[in-house]
């Protein structure tokens, strides 16, 4: 995925049914998690594991150079 300055709309939170592994390949971004207001300033090589249904949002992405992400979604095993 490539972002060029996009961010989550005000008040919007992702709430995904699957676990997600995300790594930032280029650019920079800020992710925020709901509850406790955790903020992560990401640079190339930084990664996060986001468990299913952990609400989060993209507060900011670098536009130039573009922010490049690799995100892998995987279903939780019972």
């Amino acid at each position: 995925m490539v972002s060029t300055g996009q961010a989550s709309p005000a008040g919007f939170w992702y709430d995904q049914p699957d676990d997600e592994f995300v790594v930032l390949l280029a650019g920079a971004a800020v992710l925020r998690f709901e509850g406790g207001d955790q903020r992560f300033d990401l640079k190339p090589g930084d990664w996060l594991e986001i468990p299913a249904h952990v609400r989060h949002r993209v507060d900011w992405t670098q536009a130039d150079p573009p922010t490049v992400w690799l995100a892998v979604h995987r279903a939780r095993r019972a």
Side-chain angles (χ1 to χ4, degrees):
M1 173 172 40
V2 177
S3 301
T4 53
Q6 291 91 344
S8 300
F12 175 83
W13 294 92
Y14 288 98
D15 185 351
Q16 300 166 167
D18 298 325
D19 292 339
E20 180 179 8
F21 170 81
V22 62
V23 60
L24 199 73
L25 303 175
V30 176
L31 293 184
R32 185 175 305 274
F33 288 80
E34 187 180 51
D37 204 30
Q38 291 181 299
R39 172 190 162 120
F40 292 89
D41 295 295
L42 303 176
K43 61 187 181 317
D46 289 343
W47 57 273
L48 291 171
E49 294 262 0
I50 305 171
H53 298 294
V54 170
R55 291 169 50 104
H56 60 284
R57 57 181 282 110
V58 178
D59 275 355
W60 173 83
T61 61
Q62 183 175 330
D64 187 23
T67 299
V68 180
W69 313 78
L70 172 64
V72 178
H73 298 260
R74 63 186 181 278
R76 286 198 141 183
R77 294 185 180 175

